[in-house]
Amino acid sequence: MPSVLFVFTSANKTLTGAETGWYLPEAAHPYYVLAPHVNIDFASPAGPNPPLDPASVEAFKEDKQSMDFLKDATVKQKFQSARKISDVKPNDYDAIFYVGGHGPVIDLASDPVNAKLASDFWAANKIVSAVCHGPAALVQAVDSNGKPIFAGRQFTGFSNEEENQVGKVKDVPFLLEDKIQSLGGKYTKADKPWGPKVVVDGRLITGQNPASAAGVGEAILKALK
C-alpha cells in the first residue's frame, strides 16, 4: 500500500496577529479520498497537534466530512503522533501533500528544514502536492540543478482575487499567485473565484482553494496508481 505524508503548518498567527493554522476541509476532503487506499502520516514543523484555523471550523460546520474528521479517532491519533518534519525520511513515502490555510505562508514558506524536505521529495521522484496556500510551502523547493520546482511548470493555488476577497492581503508575506509566477511557474485558475481547479504537471499536483481539495486527493490517488 502506498504511503502519503500530510504536512501541516505550525503557525497559529498571521502577520497582523489574526488566528490562523491549517484549513479544515483541505485536510479532511483529501484524507477521506485517500485513506481507504493509502497509509497516511501527519507531520508539521513542531510535531504533534498542529493548530487548526478556527475560522475554517465555523465556515465548514455544515460539511459532514470536515465534522467527521474532527471526531475521527484515527485522525486524532495521527495528530497526537504527528512527526516533526525534521524527522521525516522521503524514502518512507510515495507522496507529500501540503494542507493549506494561511499558516503555511507564515512558517513553511521560509523554513529551511521544509525547503530541504520538499526538495528531497522532488529529487527522489516522489509526488509533490499542495492545495490553496499549501503551494507556499514549495517556494524554496528546488530540483537537482538548483532551479525552483515551479520553473516552467503549470500550477494553481489561492488567487490574488480570492486573497483580496477574504481581506487577508496584509496577513501574509506574499501573494501566492505572484510569488510562484516570479519563480517561473505558469499560473492557471478556475473561471470564477472559489471554483474547483486542480492542475497536474508531471509529479507536481496543485489545487486552488478549499473546493479543490478533494480533487487534489483524487489526482494524488490516480498518480499513485
Side-chain angles (χ1 to χ4, degrees):
M1 191 182 266
S3 294
V4 178
L5 183 70
F6 276 42
V7 180
F8 296 82
T9 180
S10 293
N12 64 1
K13 292 279 191 287
T14 70
L15 295 183
T16 66
E19 283 188 291
T20 191
W22 57 272
Y23 207 78
L24 179 56
E26 294 171 17
H29 294 175
Y31 178 84
Y32 288 118
V33 170
L34 291 164
H37 312 285
V38 306
N39 294 312
I40 298 172
D41 286 340
F42 292 174
S44 78
N49 298 316
L52 169 60
D53 184 338
S56 68
V57 181
E58 178 61 27
F60 284 82
K61 63 187 178 189
E62 305 296 326
D63 179 63
K64 184 179 184 310
Q65 282 195 334
S66 292
M67 293 300 104
D68 287 349
F69 190 75
L70 291 179
K71 298 189 289 249
D72 191 316
T74 304
V75 169
K76 286 182 181 175
Q77 191 276 324
K78 287 181 190 293
F79 276 125
Q80 285 162 7
S81 61
R83 305 169 72 178
K84 289 187 174 182
I85 58 172
S86 55
D87 296 334
V88 170
K89 295 179 177 64
N91 287 343
D92 292 342
Y93 300 96
D94 301 284
I96 191 168
F97 168 63
Y98 288 92
V99 177
H102 284 86
V105 196
I106 304 296
D107 63 350
L108 290 165
S110 53
D111 183 337
V113 176
N114 177 63
K116 183 177 187 308
L117 181 69
S119 301
D120 287 350
F121 265 82
W122 188 260
N125 288 315
K126 311 287 185 178
I127 294 159
V128 175
S129 58
V131 69
C132 199
H133 288 89
L138 302 173
V139 297
Q140 291 189 340
V142 292
D143 65 17
S144 55
N145 298 314
K147 272 178 58 178
I149 65 169
F150 287 110
R153 290 188 174 88
Q154 303 276 344
F155 81 99
T156 191
F158 208 56
S159 68
N160 292 354
E161 188 176 2
E162 287 164 331
E163 201 69 87
N164 276 303
Q165 286 186 9
V166 295
K168 293 279 189 182
V169 173
K170 290 191 170 71
D171 286 271
V172 286
F174 58 79
L175 293 173
L176 189 120
E177 178 183 334
D178 293 347
K179 177 74 169 182
I180 299 179
Q181 286 188 110
S182 77
L183 299 173
K186 300 171 184 173
Y187 185 76
T188 55
K189 62 182 178 181
D191 295 335
K192 291 182 178 160
W194 309 105
K197 178 74 174 179
V198 176
V199 174
V200 179
D201 191 331
R203 295 182 289 113
L204 183 64
I205 299 171
T206 48
Q208 184 177 330
N209 48 32
S212 312
V216 171
E218 286 155 11
I220 295 167
L221 191 59
K222 187 177 175 186
L224 288 168
K225 289 176 177 172

